[in-house]
Amino acid sequence: MDFTLLSAVLALLPILGYCCSNPFVEVGSRCLFFGITLSLDYNGAQQTCLNINGQLAKIDQPQQLWNITQYIHNDSTLYSSYWIDGSKVQDDWLYSDGEIIPLGTPYWATFMNANQDYGQHPVDQPGANCVSMRGETYFFFTSNNCEELYSPLCEENE
């Protein structure tokens, strides 16, 4: 490929849409990395994302959640549990940028407790201060102990 052709292709990229850099893949309009071969605590997942020019994925729109879950359902090798952006700070659930995480449907998973009563995450348990998406809860948000070992779901920094 000569330089003129390469320049023309590069000039079209903004028109055609953003290209994700390796190891990120395009999901909806975002560039994500599904670290399925990694098993890390929350802090380790955050550091892994930073090391690849990313951050834990901030999911703050229902369409984003839909796009991610559909992407996972279409590729069974991605079926795992993931750390995503969000943690409990005092009594509030916040993204790392300080924005409040919406509670309830459509984001947070439901569950049945030992008394056969239904509840919804986040749960009020000691240490359950970090947000994850787990396959067994159909990839809705769950509150988990930050020391649990899950894969990172990273979003590429712009």
Side-chain angles (χ1 to χ4, degrees):
M1 182 180 293
D2 70 16
F3 183 73
T4 307
L5 181 57
L6 179 60
S7 296
V9 170
L10 291 175
L12 285 173
L13 287 179
I15 297 167
L16 299 174
Y18 178 73
C19 294
C20 301
S21 59
N22 191 29
F24 296 92
V25 295
E26 190 170 350
V27 179
S29 61
R30 303 171 71 197
C31 295
L32 302 176
F33 168 69
F34 296 84
I36 58 171
T37 61
L38 304 171
S39 186
L40 305 166
D41 65 16
Y42 189 82
N43 289 332
Q46 282 182 315
Q47 188 59 52
T48 296
C49 294
L50 290 172
N51 290 344
I52 59 171
N53 190 37
Q55 59 197 0
L56 287 174
K58 177 182 177 182
I59 304 168
D60 61 351
Q61 299 294 320
Q63 186 64 48
Q64 294 169 341
L65 181 60
W66 171 257
N67 290 342
I68 292 168
T69 56
Q70 289 307 298
Y71 190 85
I72 293 169
H73 288 300
N74 289 330
D75 184 348
S76 62
T77 65
L78 297 177
Y79 192 89
S80 186
S81 294
Y82 297 97
W83 288 121
I84 59 173
D85 185 29
S87 61
K88 187 175 183 181
V89 179
Q90 296 174 349
D91 291 330
D92 295 316
W93 287 90
L94 304 174
Y95 294 109
S96 59
D97 64 6
E99 185 179 329
I100 294 174
I101 300 172
L103 299 180
T105 306
Y107 298 102
W108 294 86
T110 58
F111 62 89
M112 185 180 293
N113 65 22
N115 296 330
Q116 303 296 309
D117 295 324
Y118 285 98
Q120 189 165 24
H121 284 268
V123 295
D124 189 21
Q125 293 178 344
N129 296 327
C130 292
V131 182
S132 66
M133 294 174 61
R134 299 184 358 239
E136 60 266 23
T137 60
Y138 304 100
F139 299 103
F140 290 103
F141 296 2
T142 58
S143 51
N144 293 94
N145 186 305
C146 303
E147 301 303 315
E148 295 286 332
L149 300 178
Y150 299 140
S151 301
L153 178 53
C154 305
E155 175 179 4
E156 186 174 25
N157 288 334
E158 295 179 5

